[in-house]
Amino acid sequence: MLFLSSVLLAQKGINKKEKVLSEKTTNQTIEAVQKDTLPKNEVIEPPTPNLKTSSLNQINLSKDTLNAKIEYNADFQRLDNVNKRVLLVGNGSVKYQTLSITADSIIFDWGKNEVIATGRRDSLGQLAGIPQFTDKEESFTANKIRYNFKTQKGIIYDVTTQENDLFVHSGRVRYEANAIKKDTSGHDVAYSADALITTCDHEHPHFGIRSKKIKVIPNKLVVVGPSSLEIAGIKLPVGLPFGFFPITKGQRSGVLFPRDYEFSEALGFGLSGIGYYFALGEYYDLSITGDIFTRGTWRLGVASQYKKRYKFRGNLNIRYSHNVTEDVNTGIESAQKSFAVIWSHNQDRSAHPSQNFSGGINFQTNDDRSRNFNDANSVLNTQLSSNLNYNRTFPGKPYNLSASLTHSQNTRTRDVTISFPKINFNMNRVTPFKRKIRKDGKERWYEKIGIDYRFEGLARVNAKDSVLFTQETLENLQYGTQHSTNIDANFKLFKYFNVRPNARYSEKWFFKTLKRSFDTTPVVDTITTTSPDGTEEIVTYDTLSYGTQSEDFVNGFQPLREFSAGISVNTQIFGTMKFKKGFIRGVRHVIRPTFSLNYTPDYTNDSWGYFDYVDTDSRAEENNPQRYSIFQNGIYSGPSSAGKSMALTYSFANLFEAKYFSKKDTINSIKKIKLIDNLGIGGSYNFAADSLNFSPIRVNTAIRLFKNISTVSFNATFDPYASNEVNGRHQRTNTFMWEKERKLLRFDNFTTTVRTGFTLARIKEMLGFKNNDRKSDSRQSRGQQRDNETAFGRSSGQNPLGGREERNSGVDDNGASDLFSDFNISHNIVFRRSIRDGKGVTEITTNNIAMRGTLNLSEKWKLTVGNISYDFKSQRLVYPDLSFYRDLHCWEMGMNWQPERGTYAFFIRVKPSSLDFLNIPYNKNNFDTNFGR
């Protein structure tokens, strides 16, 4: 270690009062450094003034004195005192403040405050001990480094520097530390000549932007002068007058350049993904992007991500599309507008002990996803739903409060149902008669009585998505509340029977009720003819109906009060058979019978006022007034129109299990298996009905095979009553089958459903094979690391409009057997047997097979099947969606194809990075498919 200020102190001299001390100290220093060699890690400390004869305040330091020590180290060190140099050979290093230089060979000139670092050639001619320069967070390697500690300037030869994901290969770089005055900012600056800027980390980059002049401000900006694109060492006739590449770490606001350059026969030339990114702070960000085409089509997207650790996280995407197309036959242009909102919010569990707000919204109009995207999920998924919830519990109390927004939508029929707000306040079951202190230690029967309470307030609207935000929809809004309470108790009867009496009361408040009216004016079919004199004559052709019904909702408060009471009994019955020999060692049958008796009053009685009548024919002799519920199509379900009910309901749940002997397991050789998980049989008998007292008997069960790979479910319906066939449908008669055909039951229908779903990995696991370990591609790992390092910022593969493909890298496949390991195959088939025209008819209502997944053909090749399904009933393929991907190191290539629509998209581009605007897309979208037809 050498402290240069001491040498300068000896050379320049000090005050006369300290001259003797100076000469003595200087001679000691020279004697110390005149040795031919220095021991490794030698430290030369500065002379220490004699505090008894001098004062530190009287020492004048030279202006050339450095601010800190310079530390150096090497396997071999040689001191040249004449030229004021130190030669460091073998793992040499020099450190000064935050700066560090390492190399095989270093010449340290303390007279000039300069260091020169070089590497050396090994026996194979390869450069070893390459100089490494590190200053704070900046680090780079070069063939030769020359740096002055005093001026903080240096020249680096054949250097490769890295700034974020950018690699700068330069022949000669002039480096300046703190080049800008510190009173404004203190950035380091590097000036490069004949440099190549790229995101390729290969020793010999596959592509880059070649420029004569490049200025790098670390962690801030890279500025290039006139430059050209270079691929595989060949300069292309594609130039840039200048360029700016932000390299600031973390969030930064700025312009988003278009990611795709498109040409569409229907839409024209277009730019996709152009916009602006707003860095709103540590927890939020926002990007506004758009697509624009020369023939009038434009789209706008807003995307935001937010996250606060231990609090919440979520993302929001809003899209608006204005697609203009032209009819090639008429030349008339038409605009198709669509809108979509996708929001996901999740509150961290540790954010609040008793409150939670989470959920998601997925809403669109005019089939937005299918209109703008061609992947199988966007086209085939016709059901959308949203669920946004706020929940509040009260610690130590039996209450809870929730408020929610729910939404369901069918994109094919364009029907939308929105329920908002939906407020629920619940009181969990409490036992108000339970004693806190029992003197006798026994529980009384009344202590088991429990009560609960439920409240709901709801507003709901049903409309088409095209008229959702109109005054008409607001006028059709339905709203109301309902209260319900349930009182029950649980008792043990004869030790084995569970008895549960219960009573339930509910009250629903409607603020709109249905009113039907009848217009006696006949409806006739007429034709209009023209008389010879030119006048029109109306001729009646036929009478269609003698009057028409109309309905309307009447505003006003109307309560609906319902009451029911009942009692239920259940138990369990076990039957077991054991075998000492053979493969089967035991069979067990468990029956869980349940009987319940329930009573509900007759709500059709006029005293309740829940039903009304409307005429059906203006002719008195043909008129048959129709009864209807005034709560029909209301916010809640109306009362039962079946009349009084005193129904005995029965059900039998059956479980079949077996034990078998296994030779594979010598420790536990007896294994258990479920033969039938749940065989259910159920029906009811209504004592209050005047006819058809027995309900149909329903039987259902399900069997899981091959370790849950396949599920077979059976559903059958039998009826104790005979039937008459009317217009192809069976109508029950009040005649038992035993009376008519001497049969206990009449077969009605039977349905069998077989669902199978598996992957090859699941099959191998079931057969006892182990999957080969597969390693992820390094590029993919780096991408995942970048995602984990930051929750926000601009993601190179993200487009708020959703128009870009996912950029996934390939996976290394270590065996041919793993090719289909992630490939999912599913098959569904449904058999139905029923009686038609007195004959049994068996038909297959559903039969299709579907395949989805990714085939990792090699480390660099990947084939993805978004969907391939075949419908055996219609004998056609259902929307195939195929894509392939090729990893080209720093580039990537891919294509997706949807043959049913005739759409495709091909791309070859730079991987997600600062230079991923280098992209060559070619596609045919959904609008081009029908253009020109």
Side-chain angles (χ1 to χ4, degrees):
M1 190 190 316
L2 182 62
F3 191 77
L4 292 183
S5 62
S6 65
V7 179
L8 295 172
L9 194 67
Q11 293 175 348
K12 301 291 183 178
I14 57 176
N15 293 340
K16 292 181 180 180
K17 293 181 180 180
E18 305 297 334
K19 185 176 182 180
V20 176
L21 176 61
S22 175
E23 291 176 354
K24 182 179 178 181
T25 305
T26 304
N27 292 334
Q28 292 175 350
T29 305
I30 294 174
E31 290 176 1
V33 300
Q34 278 182 340
K35 296 180 181 180
D36 186 61
T37 59
L38 294 176
K40 186 177 181 180
N41 299 330
E42 182 68 23
V43 178
I44 301 177
E45 297 292 347
T48 305
N50 189 346
L51 299 179
K52 295 180 180 181
T53 60
S54 64
S55 174
L56 291 176
N57 295 330
Q58 296 174 335
I59 300 176
N60 294 329
L61 300 178
S62 170
K63 295 181 179 180
D64 297 330
T65 302
L66 297 177
N67 298 325
K69 294 180 181 180
I70 297 179
E71 302 178 5
Y72 60 82
N73 187 21
D75 295 339
F76 174 79
Q77 306 175 14
R78 183 179 182 86
L79 177 65
D80 183 357
N81 190 49
V82 176
N83 297 316
K84 302 177 182 179
R85 292 183 176 184
V86 175
L87 175 63
L88 308 174
V89 179
N91 298 319
S93 66
V94 176
K95 296 181 180 179
Y96 174 68
Q97 291 181 337
T98 61
L99 184 145
S100 173
I101 298 176
T102 61
D104 179 79
S105 301
I106 298 177
I107 299 176
F108 173 40
D109 190 330
W110 74 78
K112 297 180 180 179
N113 295 322
E114 188 177 90
V115 62
I116 299 175
T118 59
R120 63 180 175 83
R121 299 286 178 180
D122 59 15
S123 59
L124 299 177
Q126 300 293 328
L127 190 63
I130 299 175
Q132 176 79 28
F133 182 95
T134 303
D135 187 7
K136 298 178 183 177
E137 296 181 358
E138 300 304 314
S139 178
F140 53 80
T141 59
N143 289 348
K144 181 180 179 181
I145 296 176
R146 184 175 181 179
Y147 185 78
N148 190 290
F149 295 102
K150 185 61 180 177
T151 62
Q152 299 188 29
K153 296 181 181 180
I155 299 177
I156 303 102
Y157 301 89
D158 298 327
V159 62
T160 299
T161 62
Q162 182 176 1
E163 300 290 342
N164 289 353
D165 61 344
L166 291 177
F167 297 89
V168 181
H169 299 261
S170 305
R172 184 173 178 270
V173 177
R174 181 163 59 91
Y175 179 82
E176 297 183 13
N178 301 324
I180 304 175
K181 293 182 180 180
K182 291 188 176 181
D183 56 355
T184 57
S185 60
H187 299 291
D188 298 340
V189 179
Y191 298 92
S192 302
D194 189 24
L196 180 74
I197 182 171
T198 181
T199 56
C200 181
D201 58 0
H202 197 268
E203 181 181 1
H204 303 287
H206 300 117
F207 83 102
I209 297 176
R210 177 72 67 178
S211 179
K212 293 295 183 183
K213 297 181 179 180
I214 291 182
K215 178 179 179 181
V216 179
I217 304 177
N219 295 325
K220 186 177 181 182
L221 186 68
V222 175
V223 183
V224 301
S227 55
S228 61
L229 180 63
E230 183 177 297
I231 297 179
I234 302 175
K235 290 186 178 181
L236 301 180
V238 179
L240 294 173
F242 60 89
F244 299 91
F245 299 95
I247 55 175
T248 305
K249 295 182 179 179
Q251 281 187 300
R252 63 189 185 275
S253 299
V255 176
L256 298 177
F257 288 95
R259 296 301 180 124
D260 289 314
Y261 314 91
E262 301 183 27
F263 172 74
S264 167
E265 294 182 1
L267 307 180
F269 290 95
L271 300 177
S272 299
I274 187 172
Y276 197 86
Y277 174 82
F278 299 88
L280 302 181
E282 181 181 359
Y283 307 118
Y284 306 89
D285 74 345
L286 176 69
S287 61
I288 300 177
T289 58
D291 302 346
I292 185 169
F293 293 84
T294 55
R295 292 189 175 180
T297 291
W298 59 274
R299 306 174 189 133
L300 183 65
V302 177
S304 177
Q305 299 181 75
Y306 55 91
K307 178 182 179 181
K308 189 172 184 180
R309 195 175 184 185
Y310 304 125
K311 293 295 183 179
F312 53 78
R313 67 183 304 167
N315 58 79
L316 171 67
N317 285 275
I318 301 175
R319 292 192 309 266
Y320 180 81
S321 300
H322 183 90
N323 298 307
V324 178
T325 56
E326 178 184 341
D327 191 314
V328 295
N329 297 321
T330 63
I332 299 176
E333 291 186 347
S334 61
Q336 299 171 341
K337 303 176 183 179
S338 60
F339 177 76
V341 177
I342 302 174
W343 180 33
S344 175
H345 177 85
N346 292 284
Q347 179 179 312
D348 195 279
R349 292 183 178 180
S350 59
H352 199 283
S354 59
Q355 296 186 57
N356 180 270
F357 178 70
S358 298
I361 292 177
N362 186 6
F363 171 78
Q364 68 180 29
T365 64
N366 202 15
D367 205 6
D368 177 81
R369 286 196 60 84
S370 179
R371 190 176 299 279
N372 293 291
F373 305 101
N374 300 308
D375 59 283
N377 184 58
S378 299
V379 175
L380 300 179
N381 185 15
T382 60
Q383 299 293 328
L384 302 178
S385 62
S386 304
N387 199 342
L388 203 60
N389 296 284
Y390 168 80
N391 297 286
R392 172 70 188 273
T393 59
F394 302 88
K397 305 292 182 180
Y399 316 118
N400 62 80
L401 174 69
S402 67
S404 65
L405 180 152
T406 61
H407 148 260
S408 62
Q409 181 177 1
N410 188 308
T411 59
R412 183 164 298 174
T413 62
R414 304 184 67 174
D415 291 326
V416 180
T417 300
I418 298 178
S419 298
F420 177 77
K422 182 179 181 181
I423 301 174
N424 294 87
F425 177 80
N426 301 324
M427 183 188 73
N428 298 330
R429 187 176 185 272
V430 296
T431 52
F433 306 111
K434 198 166 189 175
R435 295 175 296 171
K436 295 182 180 180
I437 300 176
R438 298 173 182 167
K439 297 181 180 180
D440 55 0
K442 295 182 179 180
E443 184 180 26
R444 304 292 185 182
W445 66 270
Y446 54 82
E447 293 185 63
K448 297 181 178 181
I449 298 176
I451 184 172
D452 61 31
Y453 171 76
R454 301 285 186 270
F455 166 81
E456 179 185 88
L458 176 63
R460 185 175 63 224
V461 63
N462 298 293
K464 299 289 184 180
D465 63 15
S466 57
V467 296
L468 184 61
F469 304 101
T470 62
Q471 182 66 27
E472 179 185 358
T473 301
L474 186 61
E475 293 174 354
N476 293 331
L477 178 70
Q478 293 273 6
Y479 50 93
T481 64
Q482 70 171 339
H483 313 259
S484 64
T485 183
N486 186 72
I487 302 175
D488 62 3
N490 292 283
F491 304 100
K492 278 283 188 181
L493 186 63
F494 305 122
K495 191 178 179 179
Y496 297 108
F497 296 92
N498 300 312
V499 181
R500 179 180 173 270
N502 65 88
R504 184 178 184 275
Y505 174 80
S506 70
E507 185 167 322
K508 303 173 184 177
W509 293 354
F510 291 79
F511 296 92
K512 288 184 178 181
T513 53
L514 181 67
K515 180 63 178 178
R516 289 181 178 176
S517 58
F518 183 74
D519 184 359
T520 59
T521 303
V523 178
V524 295
D525 187 11
T526 61
I527 58 174
T528 303
T529 59
T530 303
S531 61
D533 58 0
T535 59
E536 292 184 351
E537 295 182 358
I538 300 177
V539 179
T540 301
Y541 183 73
D542 191 15
T543 301
L544 300 180
S545 66
Y546 292 91
T548 56
Q549 291 183 7
S550 61
E551 60 182 35
D552 194 10
F553 282 96
V554 179
N555 293 322
F557 174 74
Q558 180 67 48
L560 169 60
R561 300 179 179 91
E562 295 177 296
F563 170 80
S564 64
I567 185 172
S568 63
V569 180
N570 66 78
T571 187
Q572 294 188 95
I573 303 173
F574 296 89
T576 304
M577 295 180 62
K578 295 183 178 180
F579 307 97
K580 296 182 179 180
K581 297 181 180 180
F583 177 72
I584 302 297
R585 294 302 175 90
V587 177
R588 186 173 74 162
H589 179 201
V590 182
I591 305 176
R592 299 186 179 95
T594 300
F595 299 90
S596 62
L597 181 64
N598 296 281
Y599 167 79
T600 56
D602 183 8
Y603 295 112
T604 62
N605 193 297
D606 294 340
S607 61
W608 292 94
Y610 296 162
F611 288 85
D612 203 350
Y613 294 86
V614 61
D615 292 334
T616 59
D617 200 306
S618 58
R619 297 169 297 178
E621 66 278 5
E622 300 292 338
N623 186 31
N624 184 18
Q626 183 182 25
R627 185 178 62 192
Y628 69 95
S629 170
I630 63 174
F631 304 107
Q632 187 175 337
N633 301 326
I635 186 66
Y636 296 112
S637 60
S640 172
S641 60
K644 184 172 67 173
S645 174
M646 177 69 75
L648 174 65
T649 304
Y650 57 90
S651 65
F652 299 90
N654 298 266
L655 173 65
F656 295 89
E657 296 177 310
K659 289 185 177 181
Y660 66 95
F661 178 78
S662 175
K663 296 181 180 180
K664 296 181 180 180
D665 194 339
T666 57
I667 299 177
N668 185 17
S669 59
I670 304 298
K671 303 291 184 180
K672 186 170 67 173
I673 185 175
K674 290 184 179 181
L675 301 177
I676 298 178
D677 192 11
N678 185 14
L679 173 61
I681 303 173
S684 65
Y685 181 86
N686 188 0
F687 293 95
D690 55 0
S691 61
L692 300 175
N693 303 81
F694 283 99
S695 70
I697 299 173
R698 293 176 174 82
V699 181
N700 60 80
T701 187
I703 301 175
R704 294 175 175 83
L705 305 175
F706 314 116
K707 294 186 177 181
N708 296 332
I709 287 180
S710 294
T711 301
V712 183
S713 59
F714 304 92
N715 294 275
T717 303
F718 301 90
D719 201 324
Y721 295 102
S723 66
N724 293 327
E725 189 169 349
V726 179
N727 298 326
R729 300 184 61 181
H730 289 270
Q731 292 184 354
R732 305 175 75 199
T733 63
N734 197 30
T735 302
F736 286 104
M737 282 296 295
W738 180 259
E739 298 177 1
K740 186 176 181 180
E741 299 183 13
R742 294 299 175 182
K743 295 180 180 179
L744 290 177
L745 299 173
R746 172 179 59 85
F747 171 78
D748 188 57
N749 64 78
F750 177 80
T751 303
T752 301
T753 303
V754 182
R755 293 185 175 90
T756 304
F758 62 89
T759 63
L760 183 59
R762 181 74 178 87
I763 297 296
K764 291 172 62 178
E765 179 184 352
M766 184 182 69
L767 297 177
F769 294 99
K770 295 183 178 179
N771 292 324
N772 295 330
D773 294 332
R774 296 180 297 168
K775 57 184 178 181
S776 298
D777 181 72
S778 60
R779 187 76 183 190
Q780 186 182 37
S781 300
R782 288 196 297 272
Q784 292 174 351
Q785 182 180 0
R786 289 197 301 268
D787 292 341
N788 294 332
E789 288 176 351
T790 175
F792 306 113
R794 174 183 174 186
S795 175
S796 300
Q798 178 186 0
N799 182 349
L801 295 178
R804 297 200 66 190
E805 304 86 349
E806 265 190 28
R807 299 185 175 183
N808 297 327
S809 297
V811 178
D812 186 16
D813 187 31
N814 290 334
S817 61
D818 289 335
L819 181 62
F820 294 89
S821 60
D822 296 329
F823 208 71
N824 184 278
I825 301 175
S826 61
H827 176 251
N828 295 323
I829 185 169
V830 178
F831 301 90
R832 179 178 174 83
R833 182 171 177 82
S834 58
I835 303 297
R836 296 180 185 175
D837 299 328
K839 298 180 180 179
V841 178
T842 302
E843 59 181 342
I844 299 176
T845 58
T846 302
N847 187 12
N848 59 69
I849 186 171
M851 294 175 287
R852 295 179 179 86
T854 300
L855 280 70
N856 299 292
L857 304 176
S858 68
E859 182 181 356
K860 303 294 184 181
W861 280 99
K862 179 170 64 175
L863 175 65
T864 299
V865 179
N867 177 74
I868 289 185
S869 59
Y870 184 80
D871 192 327
F872 292 95
K873 189 175 181 180
S874 60
Q875 298 182 354
R876 69 179 186 91
L877 286 172
V878 178
Y879 203 82
D881 182 11
L882 307 173
S883 63
F884 77 87
Y885 175 88
R886 175 68 164 94
D887 187 344
L888 301 173
H889 189 255
C890 51
W891 288 68
E892 59 185 0
M893 178 180 66
M895 180 178 179
N896 58 72
W897 176 44
Q898 298 81 28
E900 187 170 314
R901 276 195 172 186
T903 57
Y904 57 84
F906 172 81
F907 64 86
I908 179 169
R909 61 197 175 199
V910 175
K911 283 185 177 179
S913 63
S914 298
L915 301 181
D916 59 2
F917 61 86
L918 298 174
N919 180 20
I920 304 175
Y922 183 77
N923 59 60
K924 185 177 182 180
N925 58 42
N926 188 32
F927 301 98
D928 296 331
T929 303
N930 298 319
F931 185 76
R933 292 185 179 180

